[in-house]
Amino acid sequence: MPADHTPVMELLYASHASAQRKAPVRRGDDPACQVVLRAAKADADDSGMERLTSLALGTAVCASDLTAVLADHKNITPKQLMDELVAARRDQGAEDTAMPDLLLAMRAKEPDQAVELLGNLMAGDDDAFLDLIVELGGYAATCVSLLEILEISPVEDTLAALTETVKQFFADKQPHHTEAAEERR
């Protein structure tokens, strides 16, 4: 089964909808979690990991590109933005996750770093891997909202651009991440 952009976009839309809610939702009832759990169940039924891997990579591509756009807006590097995010999370008492490292690996010239990091996560704790995918979706949704708040790009335009980015990624016509980020400006 070839990778499809649809689950990635479903996760981004679900994450964005979840972020807009005023009342908290139980984790199992969260639409973003449901997208990831459906992919996990389908993979388990097929005794594979293709859907979850595609979901993780596709969502990481989106989150990485969004990070570049936001970093550029602040006139800093994506690494500096990730460092700010990690520091803010620590100040709030949140535990470190693999997300910042994955996003920076996605921006690196060597894409094998990201694949290796995901492979290590998949081989380790299944729950941590599923949580990472949900976290990537939530982070990307927050970035989409920030782009609208900062009047860089309306939500609909950003999501449309991300759809094209993910389609290209899965078609192995991967745009250079910087070029994809430039297109959304």
Side-chain angles (χ1 to χ4, degrees):
M1 179 186 87
D4 178 14
H5 75 283
T6 305
V8 172
M9 295 314 299
E10 184 181 358
L11 176 61
L12 292 180
Y13 278 97
S15 297
H16 191 264
S18 293
Q20 305 306 310
R21 288 195 179 139
K22 303 264 188 248
V25 175
R26 282 183 357 163
R27 186 163 176 87
D29 294 334
D30 182 349
C33 290
Q34 292 299 313
V35 171
V36 175
L37 291 174
R38 278 194 307 274
K41 181 177 180 342
D43 274 351
D45 290 347
D46 291 344
S47 301
M49 291 289 288
E50 185 174 333
R51 288 171 189 86
L52 286 174
T53 302
S54 294
L55 191 57
L57 283 171
T59 308
V61 165
C62 292
S64 176
D65 279 2
L66 292 165
T67 298
V69 172
L70 288 170
D72 186 59
H73 178 74
K74 290 183 71 170
N75 293 318
I76 60 175
T77 67
K79 170 130 178 51
Q80 290 169 316
L81 184 63
M82 285 290 98
D83 289 344
E84 287 179 10
L85 174 68
V86 169
R89 289 174 52 99
R90 284 185 184 148
D91 288 348
Q92 294 174 352
E95 294 183 26
D96 288 342
T97 68
M99 187 188 71
D101 292 334
L102 177 60
L103 295 182
L104 291 173
M106 295 297 291
R107 301 235 41 92
K109 301 263 189 239
E110 280 296 319
D112 292 340
Q113 286 178 295
V115 173
E116 182 179 337
L117 179 58
L118 280 176
N120 290 339
L121 288 169
M122 284 187 284
D125 183 356
D126 291 341
D127 289 337
F129 181 61
L130 298 178
D131 287 345
L132 173 67
I133 298 171
V134 172
E135 181 183 12
L136 284 166
Y139 172 77
T142 299
C143 291
V144 168
S145 294
L146 281 173
L147 290 176
E148 181 167 72
I149 291 167
L150 295 170
E151 298 180 350
I152 297 171
S153 175
V155 168
E156 300 80 23
D157 292 354
T158 303
L159 290 172
L162 290 173
T163 299
E164 291 307 311
T165 297
V166 176
K167 281 181 182 178
Q168 288 178 346
F169 176 77
F170 286 132
D172 284 331
K173 297 176 186 166
Q174 300 173 23
H176 187 272
H177 293 296
T178 307
E179 292 168 10
E182 290 288 325
E183 289 174 13
R184 278 194 286 286
R185 283 190 219 158

